[in-house]
């Protein structure tokens, strides 16, 4: 019982049977998930899967058709103000008042809460890396700068959970790197839970503790990254790329009793680096051309495509 | 969080918009234009001004008393005007009967047409029918036809020229009158001129005669006319009017004899008069207002008869002016009461249909009565208050800063309202389209509070600009015209209560009523914003509604359907004496069957309904 209770206290966001219908079309279908304190939770899905819609419902932008949302234990429908104050968000492209400077925009949002000092605003500006250009009018900002400002406005009031919809949109490689370390930092240091959605899997892989895959409005699965990876590594740890994979595989199995799988032009097998070198020499002695070999890097992309299916039409 | 907190943040944000510069610019330009075009006609001071150089006080008095004078300010003519008003009222019930006159004329034709003996039309027709070849019968009938034609034409002409708004003594609508006129016109025109009739054969004549007999039943016309109710004044009411507004005022020649003996000053107090009552034959009631004033004049003249000083002549003229104005007040009261008596039992909408009453507005007359009674009861006989307060003329006899401020604010309020609409729409539909509304959705404010906060900020903003514009207008007016000499305005509220207020208070009342108007349009634009979600549409449609309101007020205020529109209730300031003013620039002035309380409830009701509707719709719909 106590364990349950303390677990509940660390649950920052709880979504129960969340559904959103637009007329006949069901955009979000019976979602259930929890996010814990300090956790970075990834929301993974194709365009139109329902990620943004879900996030809009969480941030109070859209009304759920049915279901419940609890932020820090407070119901969003019954206790909106007390619930939403724990949440900061950036859903779709962040929009600001173009005739105001970045700072004036932040000051306006800060004034909607109590006691957010100018110093605090400047601290957050420094945190997102906008100190140099914060006093320029937003209409002159690039998309990347607006993204940073978007994150800044979400952090002003020290929310317990941050909802970020495609936060790396418009950022260059440097920016993406910064964002990743930034997110990890605030999750670990401040204990802020973060929910991010993206279709750029490289980022999710690097940053998320757990990932929820959503397709056609439904959750397909929710697992930690390591859990997902573990499942697929049963396919093999290393690969050998050749133009005669079937022949190579047959040789390996018959001659060396090594179990392997064939995937396209790759032979997949479970082994280690040392043994791999010996296998390559052996295969070469059979005059099998080898174009590449190494450790299989299971990207979330492979997993995702595997799970969701390559055949994915736009709806 | 409280919506006032949001309102404050919104207000700050509003003032940072670049559009504020446009607004200020427009206001400045508008104010400059107003300063250039402002050219009011100052009130008449209605002063009597007899006396050329070298005349003594008693000479001037003689000019006033000259019974052959044609000067409109001479006593003889002042008294004549009052008596004419009295006569019109007093003799209305017994005056010659227009309706009877018409009926009598028509009855003559009826007799002529239906007489079955002698030279009656019908008889001659039968005769001809029986003797179609008799030349005499034919000639006689042609004669009868011509007579009929003449008679019908003459009735038509009579109806066309003799019925006017002055002499009508029965209730008939324009359409009803046209119907009757038509009847006789058609009757006259189906009969050809005599020369042409001569060419008709007997059978043609007989046909014509039969047609006339069948189709033109004059008795129906007489029935209709008789059914139209006569305008009759209730004799008790008439006597009351005469008692209150004539008998107590009219000049009877009785001079207050006690004041002859009085050494101390022109005006005797009531106490002194009562003390002297024993010395007089007449009691206080017999002394009319004009008697009193005239006595003052006599007394003054007796003291200063030979003086040629301009100050003394001015003082005499002042007293004579009072005489004139008191008489005008009485005339106004009689005329206004007379008008109301004639329309008794009908609402303004109903009575407007009748001839002699088109454009009738009981509010105007009631205001007149309240105003003039007030002046009478308070013995205010200088001319400045004689015409009701009117925004397009001046408060006093000189143009003052107040006059300028009133006029300027009418134009500036137009600009402010347009911008209030624009800012409201921007803050709701604009933010929704621009995406910043979703940034607001995540703040600790329910959707209802978001709307409340935004509306409050727009209303606050409008109020601030109204105040700034007013003060600026006043300052500009002050530098152009100074404060002027008159401080007070007699305000008639709801056509029922008259009281004096300092001009500044009336101005403040005007601004408060203006705010109701602006708040109304802010609510309209907010509601349209949440429904349409498009800045362009919401602004455009609200603007159209605003313009439509102005135009309908100016043009169609008298139609029957007008009072069902909200526009009929949007100008609350008209209830402060607006009914008898000439039309304002951007507001209505006719109180048609209207009541301040009703209009106030309608406006507040509509505002509340729109408020609730806006919030409900906003809450139900997703922001994006």
């Amino acid at each position: 019982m106590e364990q349950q209770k303390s677990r509940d206290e660390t649950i920052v966001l709880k979504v129960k049977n969340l559904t959103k219908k637009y007329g006949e079309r069901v955009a979000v279908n019976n979602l259930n998930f929890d996010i814990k304190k300090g956790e970075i939770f990834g929301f993974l899905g194709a365009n139109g899967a329902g990620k943004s819609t879900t996030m809009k419902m969480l941030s109070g932008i859209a009304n759920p058709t049915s279901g419940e949302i609890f932020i820090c234990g407070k119901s969003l429908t019954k206790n909106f103000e007390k619930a939403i104050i724990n949440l900061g968000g950036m859903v779709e492209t962040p929009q600001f008042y173009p005739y105001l400077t970045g700072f004036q925009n932040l000051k306006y949002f800060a004034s909607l809460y109590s006691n957010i000092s100018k110093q605090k605003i400047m601290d957050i500006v420094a945190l997102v890396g906008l100190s140099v250009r914060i006093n320029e009018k937003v209409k002159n900002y690039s998309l990347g700068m607006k993204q940073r400002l978007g994150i800044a406005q979400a952090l002003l009031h020290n929310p317990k959970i941050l909802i970020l919809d495609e936060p790396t949109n418009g950022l260059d490689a440097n920016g993406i790197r910064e964002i990743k370390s930034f997110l990890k930092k605030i999750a670990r240091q401040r204990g802020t839970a973060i929910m991010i959605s993206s279709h750029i899997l490289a980022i999710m892989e690097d940053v998320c503790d757990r990932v929820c895959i959503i397709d056609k409005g439904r959750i397909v699965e929710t697992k930690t990254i390591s859990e997902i990876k573990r499942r697929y590594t049963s396919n093999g740890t290393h690969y050998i790329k050749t133009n005669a994979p079937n022949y190579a595989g047959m040789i390996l199995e018959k001659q060396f009793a090594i179990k392997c799988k064939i995937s396209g032009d790759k032979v997949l097998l479970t082994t280690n680096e040392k043994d791999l070198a010996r296998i390559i020499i052996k295969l070469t002695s059979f005059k099998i051309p080898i174009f590449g070999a190494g450790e299989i890097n299971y990207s979330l992309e492979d997993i995702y495509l595997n799970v969701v299916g390559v055949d994915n039409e736009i709806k | 969080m409280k919506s006032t907190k949001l309102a404050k943040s919104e207000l700050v944000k509003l003032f940072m918009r670049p559009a504020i510069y446009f607004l200020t610019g427009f206001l400045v330009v508008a104010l400059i234009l107003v300063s250039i075009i402002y050219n009011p006609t100052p009130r008449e001071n209605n002063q009597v001004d007899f006396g050329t150089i070298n005349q003594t006080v008693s000479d001037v008095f003689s000019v006033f008393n000259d019974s052959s004078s044609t000067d409109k300010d001479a006593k003889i003519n002042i008294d004549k005007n009052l008596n004419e008003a009295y006569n019109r009222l007093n003799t209305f019930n017994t005056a010659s009967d227009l309706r009877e006159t018409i009926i009598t004329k028509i009855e003559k034709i009826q007799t002529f047409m239906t007489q079955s003996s002698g030279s009656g039309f019908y008889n001659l027709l039968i005769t001809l029918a029986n003797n179609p070849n008799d030349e005499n019968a034919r000639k006689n009938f042609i004669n009868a036809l011509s007579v009929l034609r003449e008679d019908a034409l003459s009735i038509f002409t009579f109806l066309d020229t003799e019925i006017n708004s002055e002499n009508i003594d029965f209730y008939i609508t324009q359409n009803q009158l046209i119907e009757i006129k038509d009847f006789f016109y058609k009757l006259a025109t189906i009969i050809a001129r005599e020369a042409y009739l001569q060419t008709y054969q007997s059978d043609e004549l007989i046909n014509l005669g039969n047609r006339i007999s069948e189709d033109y039943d004059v008795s129906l016309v007489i029935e209709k006319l008789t059914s139209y109710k006569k305008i009759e004044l209730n004799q008790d009411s008439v006597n009351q009017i005469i008692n209150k507004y004539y008998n107590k005022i009219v000049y009877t020649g009785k001079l207050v004899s006690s004041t002859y003996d009085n050494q101390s000053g022109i005006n005797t107090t009531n106490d002194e008069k009562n003390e002297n009552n024993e010395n007089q034959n007449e009691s206080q009631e017999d002394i009319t207002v004009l008697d009193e004033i005239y006595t003052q004049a006599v007394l003054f003249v007796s003291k200063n008869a030979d003086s040629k000083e301009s100050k003394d002549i001015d003082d005499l003229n002042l007293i004579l002016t009072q005489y004139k104005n008191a008489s005008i007040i009485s005339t106004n009261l009689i005329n206004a009461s007379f008008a109301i008596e004639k329309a008794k039992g009908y609402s303004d909408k109903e009575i407007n249909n009748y001839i002699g009453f088109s454009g009738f507005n009981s509010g105007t007359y009631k205001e007149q009565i309240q105003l003039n009674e007030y002046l009478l009861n308070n013995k205010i006989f200088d001319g400045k208050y004689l015409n009701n307060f009117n925004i397009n003329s001046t408060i006093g006899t000189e143009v003052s800063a107040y006059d300028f401020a009133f006029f300027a604010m009418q134009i500036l309020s137009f600009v402010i309202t347009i911008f209030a609409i624009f800012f409201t729409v921007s803050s709701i539909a604009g933010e929704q389209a621009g995406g910043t509304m979703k940034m607001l959705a995540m703040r600790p404010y329910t959707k209802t509070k978001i709307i409340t906060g935004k509306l409050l900020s727009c209303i606050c903003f409008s109020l601030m600009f109204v105040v700034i514009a007013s003060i600026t207008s006043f300052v500009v007016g002050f530098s152009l015209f100074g404060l002027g000499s008159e401080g007070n305005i007699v305000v008639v509220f709801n056509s029922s209560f008259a009281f004096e207020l300092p001009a500044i208070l009336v101005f403040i009342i005007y601004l408060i009523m203006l705010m109701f108007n602006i708040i109304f349009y802010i609510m309209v634009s907010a509601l349209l914003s949440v429904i349409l979600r498009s800045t362009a549409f919401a602004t455009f449609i609200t603007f159209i509604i605003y313009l439509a309101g102005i135009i309908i007020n100016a043009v169609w205020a008298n139609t029957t359907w007008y009072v069902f529109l909200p526009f009929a209730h949007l100008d609350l300031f008209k209830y402060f004496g607006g009914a008898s003013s000439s039309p304002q620039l951007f507001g209505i002035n006719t109180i048609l069957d209207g009541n301040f309380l009703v209009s106030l409830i309608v406006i507040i009701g509509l505002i509340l309904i729109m408020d609730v509707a806006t919030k409900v719709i906003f809450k139900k719909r997703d922001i994006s």
Side-chain angles (χ1 to χ4, degrees):
Chain A
M1 221 26 165
E2 258 198 38
Q3 210 181 14
Q4 174 84 9
K5 195 169 172 218
S6 68
R7 242 215 329 265
D8 284 344
E9 273 164 3
T10 64
I11 290 181
V12 166
L13 176 68
K14 186 180 188 61
V15 172
K16 262 170 80 172
N17 301 331
L18 189 63
T19 304
K20 178 71 175 168
K21 290 190 189 158
Y22 291 107
E24 287 304 311
R25 181 173 79 86
V26 183
V28 170
N29 201 339
N30 227 343
L31 292 193
N32 283 283
F33 61 91
D34 294 347
I35 300 181
K36 295 194 233 335
K37 180 175 164 172
E39 177 176 31
I40 304 184
F41 186 84
F43 220 42
L44 188 57
N47 291 333
K51 304 192 298 295
S52 284
T53 312
T54 306
M55 291 182 146
K56 284 187 198 172
M57 286 193 276
L58 296 177
S59 8
I61 297 173
N63 301 320
T65 309
S66 63
E68 290 175 78
I69 300 170
F70 296 94
I71 304 179
C72 293
K74 308 245 180 352
S75 158
L76 200 57
T77 38
K78 296 194 183 68
N79 214 342
F80 179 79
E81 289 184 11
K82 288 216 163 73
I84 201 81
I85 200 164
N86 291 312
L87 182 145
M90 188 179 72
V91 181
E92 295 176 325
T93 330
Q95 298 291 352
F96 298 97
Y97 302 103
Y99 52 87
L100 297 180
T101 68
F103 182 75
Q104 286 169 336
N105 268 285
L106 290 180
K107 193 156 152 243
Y108 165 74
F109 290 119
S111 72
L112 299 179
Y113 300 92
S114 15
N115 298 331
I116 300 183
S117 65
K118 181 172 174 189
Q119 185 55 47
K120 179 131 198 281
I121 300 178
M122 292 314 290
D123 287 343
I124 292 185
V125 168
L127 193 61
V128 299
L130 270 180
S131 307
V132 176
R133 302 191 59 186
I134 196 62
N135 288 313
E136 286 177 31
K137 292 213 193 316
V138 166
K139 66 176 182 240
N140 297 324
Y141 278 17
S142 66
L143 181 54
M145 288 165 72
K146 286 190 194 165
Q147 290 285 114
R148 291 167 191 259
L149 195 60
I151 295 178
Q153 63 81 28
L155 288 173
L156 281 174
H157 53 290
N158 244 338
K160 300 249 176 13
I161 172 166
L162 207 55
I163 309 265
L164 301 175
D165 190 13
E166 314 269 1
T168 56
N169 191 14
L171 295 180
D172 58 12
N174 253 333
I176 292 181
R177 197 166 42 86
E178 277 178 43
I179 273 256
K180 287 201 291 192
S181 71
F182 169 81
L183 290 179
K184 281 194 246 191
K185 189 165 76 168
I186 60 172
R188 308 292 171 244
Q189 290 177 1
R190 295 183 181 202
T192 312
I194 304 179
M195 176 179 178
I196 62 175
S197 80
S198 188
H199 53 266
I200 300 183
L201 309 155
I203 297 159
M204 306 278 261
E205 191 163 16
D206 211 4
V207 152
C208 294
D209 300 320
R210 273 193 304 153
V211 163
C212 163
I213 300 178
I214 178 171
D215 183 45
K216 299 191 184 73
R218 278 181 207 279
I219 291 183
V220 179
E221 56 185 359
T222 311
K223 292 259 189 300
T224 63
I225 295 279
S226 37
E227 275 176 330
I228 292 182
K229 283 204 170 175
R230 218 179 317 136
R231 199 203 304 160
Y232 288 94
T233 53
S234 62
N235 279 343
T237 52
H238 289 80
Y239 75 96
I240 297 173
K241 189 172 170 184
T242 166
N243 66 352
N246 287 314
Y247 183 47
M250 193 186 70
I251 292 182
L252 284 174
E253 279 188 14
K254 285 230 170 91
Q255 302 282 336
F256 301 99
I258 297 173
K259 279 214 176 75
C260 43
K261 290 204 173 112
I262 315 295
S263 173
D265 58 357
K266 296 198 187 86
V267 179
L268 310 177
L269 59 159
T270 305
T271 180
N272 59 47
E273 217 172 34
K274 254 205 201 142
D275 292 341
L276 183 66
R278 287 200 208 112
I279 292 170
I280 290 173
I281 294 171
K282 287 205 180 114
L283 283 178
T284 326
S285 74
F286 276 86
K287 301 231 182 339
I288 295 172
I290 294 177
F291 300 126
E295 197 177 333
I296 297 178
N297 216 343
Y298 282 100
S299 74
L300 215 44
E301 183 155 12
D302 300 322
I303 299 164
Y304 168 73
L305 289 173
N306 226 314
V307 163
V308 170
V310 181
D311 161 52
N312 226 346
E313 277 165 33
I314 297 181
K315 303 206 177 24
Chain B
M1 297 279 168
K2 285 209 165 112
S3 39
T4 46
K5 192 165 159 66
L6 176 60
K8 191 165 151 214
S9 304
E10 286 279 318
L11 193 59
V12 169
K13 189 178 72 178
L14 223 163
F15 273 99
M16 294 202 271
R17 295 186 62 129
I20 290 281
Y21 294 114
F22 279 107
L23 171 57
T24 315
F26 268 105
L27 287 177
V28 166
V29 168
L31 193 54
I32 293 175
L33 282 176
V34 166
S35 313
I36 295 174
I37 67 170
Y38 185 56
N39 195 10
T41 22
R43 256 176 211 270
E44 296 268 321
N45 61 14
N46 265 335
Q47 284 274 67
V48 168
D49 193 13
F50 292 127
T52 54
I53 310 174
N54 258 335
Q55 283 188 317
T56 62
V57 163
S58 64
D59 286 338
V60 171
F61 198 48
S62 311
V63 174
F64 178 71
N65 280 318
D66 181 359
S67 53
S68 62
S69 173
T70 51
D71 191 319
K72 64 174 169 56
D73 289 342
K75 179 171 179 299
I76 186 77
N77 293 318
I78 294 176
D79 290 343
K80 190 167 93 168
N81 282 334
L82 177 55
N83 286 319
E84 273 173 9
Y86 165 77
N87 281 331
R88 256 181 285 131
L89 172 69
N90 200 20
T91 59
F92 183 81
N93 281 342
T94 54
S96 63
D97 207 329
L98 180 65
R99 190 184 66 164
E100 291 314 310
T101 309
I102 298 174
I103 291 179
T104 310
K105 284 186 194 284
I106 299 179
E107 276 172 345
K108 282 208 186 105
I109 295 191
Q110 182 190 39
T111 315
F112 177 68
M113 280 176 80
T114 54
Q115 208 171 18
S116 43
S117 64
S119 55
F121 174 87
Y122 191 65
N123 193 36
L124 291 176
L125 171 62
I126 299 291
T127 313
L128 178 62
N130 291 334
N131 309 295
N133 297 317
D134 184 341
E135 191 52 33
N136 252 351
R138 188 174 151 274
K139 283 211 177 108
N140 285 337
F141 188 61
I142 290 179
N143 208 28
L145 280 173
S146 300
V147 167
L148 184 57
R149 184 175 190 273
E150 288 309 312
D151 286 347
L153 260 183
S154 109
I155 294 224
F156 171 79
T157 315
F158 184 83
L159 292 172
D160 208 27
T161 55
E162 294 297 321
I163 295 187
N164 56 50
S165 46
E166 292 305 314
N167 68 2
I168 193 86
D169 66 356
F170 61 104
Y171 297 107
I172 181 172
T173 69
Q174 194 63 252
N175 287 339
Q176 287 165 340
L177 179 62
I178 287 176
E179 227 186 299
I180 298 180
K181 285 193 334 196
D182 238 19
F183 179 92
F184 289 105
Y185 186 74
K186 284 197 182 118
L187 176 55
T189 49
I190 62 166
I191 304 173
R193 285 186 197 275
E194 174 160 16
Y196 201 60
L197 278 178
Q198 295 291 352
T199 65
Y200 279 34
Q201 298 301 318
S202 290
D203 52 343
E204 286 172 305
L205 290 172
I206 294 169
N207 277 339
L208 179 57
N210 284 330
R211 246 177 71 199
I212 292 177
S213 293
E214 271 174 42
D215 297 343
Y216 288 88
D217 186 355
V218 181
S219 63
L220 291 177
V221 175
I222 296 180
E223 247 178 71
K224 278 200 186 125
L225 268 173
T226 326
S227 74
Y228 299 147
K229 196 163 146 231
K230 244 199 126 218
I231 303 177
E232 273 167 342
L233 306 187
N234 178 331
Q235 196 53 48
D236 282 340
S237 307
V238 169
N239 293 337
Q240 246 191 18
I241 297 172
I242 292 177
N243 233 352
K244 271 205 301 191
Y245 301 144
Y246 182 76
N247 292 343
K248 293 211 168 91
I249 302 174
V250 71
Y251 176 73
T252 61
K254 291 192 183 119
L255 302 178
V256 185
S257 52
S258 65
T259 59
Y260 268 121
D261 306 327
N262 213 318
Q263 308 287 322
S264 59
I266 298 176
N267 292 321
T268 55
T269 64
N270 271 339
D271 292 320
E272 290 173 295
K273 278 203 183 123
N274 283 335
E275 276 172 21
N276 289 326
N277 251 349
E278 302 151 24
N279 302 339
Q280 326 170 54
N281 296 330
E282 46 266 348
S283 67
Q284 198 51 38
E285 263 100 70
D286 289 351
I287 307 302
T288 68
V289 169
L290 289 180
D291 285 341
E292 233 184 280
I293 300 177
Y294 195 76
T295 310
Q296 284 178 25
V298 166
L299 187 62
F300 183 81
V301 171
S302 70
K303 284 197 182 144
N304 302 295
D306 298 320
S307 160
K308 289 188 185 178
E309 302 280 319
S310 55
K311 182 180 181 305
D312 291 331
I313 302 217
D314 285 343
D315 283 346
L316 176 61
N317 273 323
L318 222 58
I319 302 176
L320 300 181
T321 305
Q322 292 194 346
Y323 186 93
K324 171 178 147 188
N325 289 333
S327 172
I328 291 179
I329 287 174
S330 171
T331 312
N332 288 343
L333 285 166
I334 293 176
N335 286 338
S337 309
F338 185 29
I340 290 190
E341 259 309 300
K342 284 201 282 188
K344 223 171 200 152
Y346 294 90
S347 72
D348 282 357
K349 274 200 306 285
E350 289 171 333
I351 198 88
N352 265 296
N353 293 325
Y354 293 114
I355 294 182
F357 291 97
S358 82
F360 181 88
N361 185 335
S362 63
T364 307
Y365 294 115
K366 285 189 199 148
E367 276 185 6
Q368 279 254 310
I369 292 178
Q370 291 301 322
L371 174 68
N372 283 288
E373 273 193 3
Y374 178 86
L375 298 177
L376 187 63
N377 294 337
N378 291 293
K379 295 207 191 285
I380 300 175
F381 297 131
D382 55 54
K384 72 177 182 188
Y385 294 127
L386 269 188
N387 296 314
N388 205 2
F389 169 59
N390 175 346
I391 282 185
N392 279 342
S393 83
T394 60
I395 296 172
T397 48
E398 294 164 9
V399 185
S400 70
Y402 295 106
D403 302 312
F404 181 79
F406 264 114
F407 184 78
M409 276 315 290
Q410 290 194 81
I411 303 193
L412 296 182
S413 68
F414 179 69
V415 177
I416 294 177
T417 308
I418 301 288
F419 271 90
I421 292 173
F422 171 68
F423 281 130
T424 308
V425 171
S426 285
S427 136
I428 300 177
E431 288 212 16
Q432 242 164 351
T436 46
M437 186 67 90
K438 68 175 194 241
M439 307 296 265
L440 260 186
M442 300 185 281
R443 311 301 162 185
Y445 297 88
T446 55
K447 300 255 182 43
T448 306
K449 286 190 191 170
I450 291 179
I451 296 289
T452 306
K454 283 177 180 286
L455 285 177
L456 274 179
S457 71
C458 291
I459 293 175
C460 245
F461 150 81
S462 308
L463 182 60
M464 288 164 88
F465 264 89
V466 163
V467 168
I468 293 173
S470 312
I471 295 179
T472 315
S473 304
F474 190 82
V475 166
V476 170
F478 181 76
S479 65
L480 290 175
F481 302 109
L483 263 183
S485 51
E486 325 293 343
N488 284 354
I489 299 177
V490 175
V491 170
V492 182
F493 174 67
N494 215 13
S495 309
S496 320
F497 306 104
F499 40 79
E500 257 179 282
L501 283 180
I504 185 72
L505 269 188
V506 180
F507 189 57
I508 290 177
I509 292 177
Y510 170 69
L511 294 178
I512 295 176
M513 302 305 143
L514 175 64
M515 280 311 298
F516 273 104
N517 196 317
I518 295 180
I519 293 177
F520 178 83
Y521 283 106
I522 286 179
M523 301 308 300
V524 170
S525 57
L527 182 57
L528 286 175
S529 292
V530 293
I531 294 177
L532 298 172
R533 291 196 168 201
S534 149
T535 330
F537 271 128
T539 314
F540 182 65
I541 294 183
T542 311
F543 183 61
I544 294 288
I545 294 177
Y546 182 50
L547 271 190
I550 294 174
I551 295 175
I552 291 179
N553 285 345
V555 174
W556 284 302
N558 276 328
T559 56
T560 37
W561 43 266
Y562 173 76
V563 286
F564 294 111
L565 299 173
F567 304 121
H569 302 283
L570 278 180
D571 179 14
L572 287 174
F573 188 63
K574 68 183 180 184
Y575 293 107
F576 292 85
S580 18
S581 317
S582 50
Q584 292 176 344
L585 211 50
F586 290 117
I588 28 164
N589 249 322
T590 42
I591 305 175
L592 216 55
D593 296 327
N595 184 317
F596 178 76
L597 206 58
V598 168
S599 289
L600 188 66
I601 292 177
V602 166
I603 291 195
I604 293 183
L606 285 176
I607 288 177
L608 289 177
I609 291 175
M610 288 192 281
D611 182 48
V612 169
T614 305
K615 288 170 182 167
V616 164
I617 295 177
F618 186 66
K619 198 163 171 190
K620 282 205 99 177
R621 297 178 84 171
D622 294 339
I623 288 185
S624 74

